[in-house]
Amino acid sequence: KQGGKPSGLRIKGRISAHFSVLGMLKQFHVNNSLVVQRIPSVPLALVAILITIMIFILCIFIFFIFIECFRYTHYPMRFNRKTRKVYWFRLDGTVVIEDWDKLYFALGKSGHGSQKVHAFRMSEDRSVILDFILLPLSAHKDEPMKLSQWEYVRRYMEEPDQLGHLAGQVEQVMDVADRRESFLGGFKRLLLTLTGGFHVLLIIMGPIALVWAIGRWIAMQTCTIPVWPEEVERECKIEPNDPYLRDRNHLAAPGTVPKPKFS
C-alpha cells in the first residue's frame, strides 16, 4: 500500500486470482456436467422394486424386534413334588400357580409337523382352557422319544423312588436360570436346531447360525432375566445338601445312568 492506495501490482494480482478461481469453478462445472450426463437413467420400476424390498426387510426387522427384544430372556416353569404344584411365567410376566393334579396333559402341534406336550389349566367344569404351558422338547409324531420329557417330569412328580435315577441323567443344563445366555451358548443351540446333530450340515449351516446368533445375542441384551416372586421362592426352597440338586455346579457324572435306547 502506497500513499493509502493499493498498488497496481496487487490489484492485478487480485484480478488474476479472481479469474483463476472462476476458471476453476467453470472447469469443475463442465466436468461435473460431463459426469452427470454419463450416468444412465434408472427405470422407475426398478426403483420401486428396490424400495419395496427395503421396506419389506425393515418390516421383518421391526417384527423380530417386537417378538424377540425387550421381553424376558426365557419363561421358566417349576415342578414342586412336595407341594404338588406347578409354577410358570406367562408372556406378560405374571406367574401362574396350579395344582399338579388339576392339570390336563396332551400332545399338541408345535409347527412344521412336530409335537409338544401341552399342560392345560382348565375351568372347574373342565370345559374351558384358562392357561397352558408347553414342555420344551419338540419331536415329530413318529419319534419314540416325543414323550420322554413328559415321562421324566411325571416320574419326578409321582414316583419318589425314581429320584436317584432321574438325577443321574442330568449331565448338563441350560445355564440361564439367573443369567443371560452367552453368545457361544446361543450359537451352539442354533447349530443343534439347524443341523439336528448331523455333523455334515455344520459346514453349510454354520455361517447361517453365526449370523443368527449375532442377532440372538443382541436381542438377549435387551431382555430381562425373570425373577420368581417371594411366595414361589419360599415354597420351592431347596434344602441344604439336597442329594438330588442339579444345577451348573451340581451335575451328574457322565455315564451315571445308562442312556435309554429308542428303536
Side-chain angles (χ1 to χ4, degrees):
K1 186 175 181 179
Q2 299 177 357
K5 295 183 180 180
S7 64
L9 180 60
R10 290 195 177 184
I11 293 175
K12 183 177 180 181
R14 291 177 183 176
I15 293 175
S16 299
H18 178 69
F19 279 105
S20 297
V21 172
L22 287 177
M24 292 173 61
L25 291 175
K26 183 177 180 181
Q27 183 66 28
F28 178 78
H29 176 72
V30 171
N31 291 339
N32 274 347
S33 299
L34 292 174
V35 172
V36 171
Q37 290 173 1
R38 291 172 185 172
I39 297 177
S41 60
V42 180
L44 292 178
L46 179 60
V47 174
I49 292 174
L50 293 176
I51 293 176
T52 302
I53 293 175
M54 293 175 63
I55 293 175
F56 178 72
I57 295 174
L58 179 62
C59 289
I60 293 178
F61 180 73
I62 294 174
F63 172 74
F64 277 104
I65 288 179
F66 179 74
I67 65 172
E68 297 290 347
C69 298
F70 307 105
R71 307 185 77 180
Y72 283 98
T73 55
H74 64 290
Y75 294 85
M77 61 185 75
R78 284 184 176 181
F79 297 88
N80 191 326
R81 61 184 177 85
K82 295 182 178 179
T83 63
R84 297 190 63 75
K85 290 186 179 297
V86 182
Y87 316 81
W88 69 86
F89 267 77
R90 290 193 183 102
L91 294 179
D92 62 2
T94 58
V95 175
V96 179
I97 303 175
E98 185 56 277
D99 295 330
W100 165 262
D101 299 301
K102 291 183 178 180
L103 291 174
Y104 179 81
F105 292 89
L107 274 174
K109 295 181 179 180
S110 63
H112 305 294
S114 60
Q115 295 179 324
K116 284 187 176 184
V117 174
H118 295 58
F120 296 101
R121 179 171 174 250
M122 311 292 292
S123 60
E124 290 296 330
D125 60 359
R126 303 185 73 80
S127 63
V128 179
I129 298 175
L130 303 177
D131 267 302
F132 72 93
I133 54 173
L134 305 173
L135 295 186
L137 179 63
S138 178
H140 290 282
K141 61 180 181 179
D142 297 328
E143 291 186 64
M145 64 177 296
K146 64 183 178 183
L147 294 177
S148 60
Q149 195 171 62
W150 150 248
E151 183 63 15
Y152 187 97
V153 174
R154 188 198 65 77
R155 290 188 184 187
Y156 174 78
M157 295 295 289
E158 298 182 351
E159 300 181 15
D161 59 324
Q162 293 289 317
L163 291 178
H165 180 81
L166 297 175
Q169 297 182 47
V170 185
E171 300 177 5
Q172 56 183 346
V173 297
M174 291 186 63
D175 190 12
V176 296
D178 56 358
R179 62 182 66 185
R180 289 180 175 84
E181 178 185 76
S182 65
F183 175 80
L184 183 59
F187 180 57
K188 290 180 178 179
R189 184 171 176 80
L190 288 172
L191 274 180
L192 181 62
T193 301
L194 294 174
T195 64
F198 293 99
H199 295 146
V200 178
L201 296 177
L202 290 176
I203 299 177
I204 301 174
M205 305 305 295
I208 299 175
L210 179 61
V211 175
W212 196 348
I214 294 173
R216 182 185 178 101
W217 183 84
I218 293 174
M220 195 67 66
Q221 306 313 302
T222 70
C223 294
T224 303
I225 300 173
V227 178
W228 290 102
E230 293 184 4
E231 173 190 359
V232 176
E233 291 289 7
R234 285 195 303 268
E235 293 184 5
C236 300
K237 185 177 181 180
I238 300 175
E239 297 178 0
N241 302 319
D242 187 332
Y244 306 119
L245 172 62
R246 292 293 178 266
D247 58 18
R248 60 176 173 266
N249 299 318
H250 304 84
L251 296 174
T256 302
V257 175
K259 297 291 189 299
K261 296 181 179 180
F262 299 99
S263 57

